[in-house]
Amino acid sequence: MNTADHILLVEDDPRLAEMLTEYLAQAAFRVTHAASGRTALNAMLAGDVDAVILDLMLPDMDGLEVCRQLRTSSDVPVLMLTARGDAIDRIIGLELGADDYLPKPFEPRELLARLRAILRRRNEHRHQPGLPPPGNAELLRFGRLEIDPAAHAARIAGQPCELTAYQFDLLLVLARHAGRVLSRDSLMELLKGEPLEAFDRSIDVHMSRIRAAVEDDPKKPRRIITVRGAGYLFAKVQD
């Protein structure tokens, strides 16, 4: 991980913000603190940010609205901080493009582990200009759907699909194992061995978002099929 990774911390609780800023600084992160949603959005415009830690309870605007506006212009990884029990907020946040969430109260070590995980996935997708991308970069085609590992992009009939980095990774893993049922455990193992506990509560929401991007009718999916009690299957649709 680059020691210059710049984290935007969006948190209106000054004591928590100070504690997290010091903790992340000790872990070699550069931290910018924003105490409101508007300040956070302005900070995103002002300079490069590698990841955002976003509290949903802000004084001027809903954190979900901050996430929505952020996603109109940036694919920066977002880790949401939510009040325990606010399941609907977590679901909406993931649907709006957040990469992961952490309920309050939380252990700083868990926040650091999840932050490093989303940054690691982001950094693995970057490569120096002129050099081949890491891993198997062969273009995958399934009818109108194209999945381009080199560009980290998916397209339907040439039109880009709106997916977060994590959602693209899920789609790519499914597509590379087309025709096979993959359990949640198998998906997590294939996704660089990330622990299941961190993502199992959100994977269904991510799958719904992927379906919204790649299916003609997400309510009647033809490409990503749920196999009850077993997992997910990517069908080789040639449309």
Side-chain angles (χ1 to χ4, degrees):
M1 182 182 62
N2 190 331
T3 56
D5 279 335
H6 182 197
I7 309 303
L8 176 59
L9 171 63
V10 189
E11 172 59 63
D12 67 330
D13 183 333
R15 294 180 62 184
L16 178 58
E18 182 179 4
M19 183 271 289
L20 289 178
T21 297
E22 293 179 358
Y23 186 81
L24 292 173
Q26 291 174 3
F29 288 103
R30 181 163 56 95
V31 181
T32 295
H33 172 227
S36 68
R38 184 54 56 193
T39 304
L41 293 172
N42 290 337
M44 284 296 300
L45 295 174
D48 292 335
V49 172
D50 295 294
V52 178
I53 300 173
L54 175 62
D55 187 15
L56 294 191
M57 299 296 292
L58 298 171
D60 59 338
M61 60 193 304
D62 195 317
L64 294 173
E65 176 62 17
V66 175
C67 186
R68 188 191 68 78
Q69 292 192 32
L70 189 63
R71 278 291 172 256
T72 63
S73 59
S74 174
D75 64 351
V76 64
V78 175
L79 173 60
M80 297 189 312
L81 303 180
T82 71
R84 186 176 300 277
D86 289 347
I88 188 64
D89 283 346
R90 294 197 292 269
I91 292 171
I92 294 173
L94 292 168
E95 289 177 340
L96 288 174
D99 295 81
D100 194 10
Y101 67 86
L102 187 59
K104 291 181 176 181
F106 56 82
E107 291 291 334
R109 288 179 60 185
E110 183 178 6
L111 179 141
L112 181 60
R114 294 195 182 206
L115 178 62
R116 283 174 169 164
I118 62 176
L119 279 168
R120 183 164 59 249
R121 290 197 300 271
R122 171 68 175 267
N123 292 338
E124 284 169 351
H125 301 145
R126 296 174 175 173
H127 59 280
Q128 298 179 19
L131 296 179
N136 181 1
E138 181 181 355
L139 184 69
L140 303 177
R141 290 189 176 91
F142 302 90
R144 294 179 298 124
L145 174 63
E146 291 184 348
I147 302 173
D148 187 347
H152 204 66
R155 296 176 287 271
I156 291 285
Q159 297 300 310
C161 301
E162 297 296 328
L163 298 169
T164 67
Y166 184 62
Q167 289 159 3
F168 178 84
D169 285 348
L170 277 173
L171 176 63
L172 183 59
V173 165
L174 287 165
R176 283 179 170 165
H177 296 80
R180 291 176 51 188
V181 177
L182 296 179
S183 67
R184 288 173 175 79
D185 287 332
S186 296
L187 285 169
M188 293 307 107
E189 183 177 350
L190 291 165
L191 284 170
K192 308 298 181 184
E194 297 294 349
L196 178 62
E197 182 181 357
F199 301 105
D200 62 346
R201 292 163 293 179
S202 62
I203 191 169
D204 293 333
V205 179
H206 284 302
M207 286 296 184
S208 296
R209 183 65 188 86
I210 296 170
R211 284 184 174 130
V214 306
E215 299 280 6
D216 295 326
D217 183 355
K219 294 182 179 180
K220 297 179 180 179
R222 299 173 59 235
R223 290 187 170 90
I224 300 176
I225 309 301
T226 299
V227 180
R228 189 177 298 275
Y232 294 94
L233 178 145
F234 186 93
K236 301 177 182 180
V237 175
Q238 300 293 333
D239 53 1

